[in-house]
Amino acid sequence: MRRPSAQPNQPAPPFNALAARRLRAALGMGPEHVAYGMRASYGLPYVTPDLVIAWERGVAGPSSPELTALAGVLWCSPGELIGSPRTLKEHRIARGLAPEDVARAVGLELLAYLRMEEHDEWRGTDRQSAALAELLDLDLPAFVTVTGREAKLADQLRSAVTTRWQAYVRPVGKTVSLDRSVLESTLQELHQDYQGHMTATLTWGGGGRDSDASGQDFLDRIVEYFWATVQRHTS
């Protein structure tokens, strides 16, 4: 039997192929044992040893139901088979929760929650957002990403480092919940790093083109630099 095609707007979670292979080997199982278990215990008659091997080689990735079944056969949690989750759905799967569990815990109607998950657009209240962060064990960077604020944060940070950072303390503070002193120190440091980086590139004789490319790389990774700087100021 052929594997059913993936449903639209239902992306598979990021799969940790190496972890799956190691867990199977640790249990002394072959791909045929895994495939049999998924067929017999989880009602997935199309799963073959070749499909399991394809997953482990990274040629293909299991869908959400397949990942849950694979975790059951390998006696592990779905989170152990997932790479770094980014979307709301991926974080839910990593915690081994059903949509009904999340909707109930945060106080949303199931259909409303499923629409948010499907479109990757969180619209919960502050109270619901706090409940979501606790339920899914989201740190602040993950929470910002899951709630769809990362793009807005990136735009604010780019403006902060290329103009006057002081003018963006309040806007960034509305996007991320951070102590004002930490936020001020972080934005000031990022601004100095960016400006110093541009100046150094020009001083070394790289020319405007090299300076622009180097500066653009900094701006492209601005959210990554932001969280790393925040961590230094809070550790």
Side-chain angles (χ1 to χ4, degrees):
M1 182 178 296
R2 296 179 62 184
R3 172 182 175 176
S5 59
Q7 296 298 314
N9 299 322
Q10 294 293 326
F15 183 60
N16 191 330
L18 180 59
R21 187 163 62 249
R22 287 176 173 173
L23 285 166
R24 175 179 61 76
L27 292 171
M29 301 172 66
E32 67 277 7
H33 301 126
V34 174
Y36 175 79
M38 295 181 69
R39 293 196 302 268
S41 301
Y42 293 92
L44 301 175
Y46 56 85
V47 176
T48 63
D50 286 342
L51 181 56
V52 173
I53 292 172
W55 290 339
E56 293 184 354
R57 289 179 176 173
V59 176
S63 65
S64 295
E66 291 165 349
L67 184 96
T68 300
L70 180 62
V73 172
L74 296 178
W75 291 86
C76 67
S77 70
E80 293 179 73
L81 297 176
I82 294 180
S84 299
R86 289 186 56 82
T87 67
L88 177 57
K89 181 176 182 178
E90 290 170 2
H91 278 281
R92 173 179 62 75
I93 293 172
R95 301 293 294 175
L97 297 170
E100 295 83 355
D101 299 330
V102 179
R104 186 183 310 111
V106 302
L108 282 169
E109 294 292 334
L110 177 59
L111 290 179
Y113 171 76
L114 287 174
R115 282 194 295 269
M116 294 181 194
E117 191 174 272
E118 178 181 357
H119 297 290
D120 197 22
E121 187 175 1
W122 175 252
R123 292 181 176 273
T125 65
D126 289 344
R127 181 188 62 80
Q128 291 168 333
S129 297
L132 180 76
E134 181 177 359
L135 180 67
L136 299 183
D137 194 24
L138 302 174
D139 59 16
L140 186 54
F143 178 75
V144 169
T145 299
V146 164
T147 54
R149 304 178 188 180
E150 187 171 88
K152 181 179 181 180
L153 174 62
D155 288 340
Q156 292 171 335
L157 294 175
R158 292 186 188 107
S159 296
V161 301
T162 56
T163 58
R164 291 182 64 254
W165 65 266
Q166 296 91 338
Y168 289 88
V169 174
R170 179 173 293 182
V172 174
K174 291 182 178 179
T175 304
V176 298
S177 179
L178 282 171
D179 180 83
R180 185 179 177 90
S181 62
V182 171
L183 190 54
E184 289 177 342
S185 299
T186 297
L187 291 181
Q188 182 178 20
E189 182 175 334
L190 286 175
H191 182 272
Q192 292 172 344
D193 286 349
Y194 175 73
Q195 299 298 330
H197 188 67
M198 295 290 287
T199 301
T201 305
L202 290 171
T203 302
W204 292 337
R209 182 175 299 177
D210 288 345
S211 177
D212 288 345
S214 181
Q216 187 59 51
D217 180 69
F218 186 94
L219 295 178
D220 288 343
R221 301 174 60 189
I222 191 65
V223 174
E224 176 186 340
Y225 291 132
F226 174 74
W227 291 123
T229 307
V230 167
Q231 186 175 20
R232 286 200 303 273
H233 285 286
T234 55
S235 60

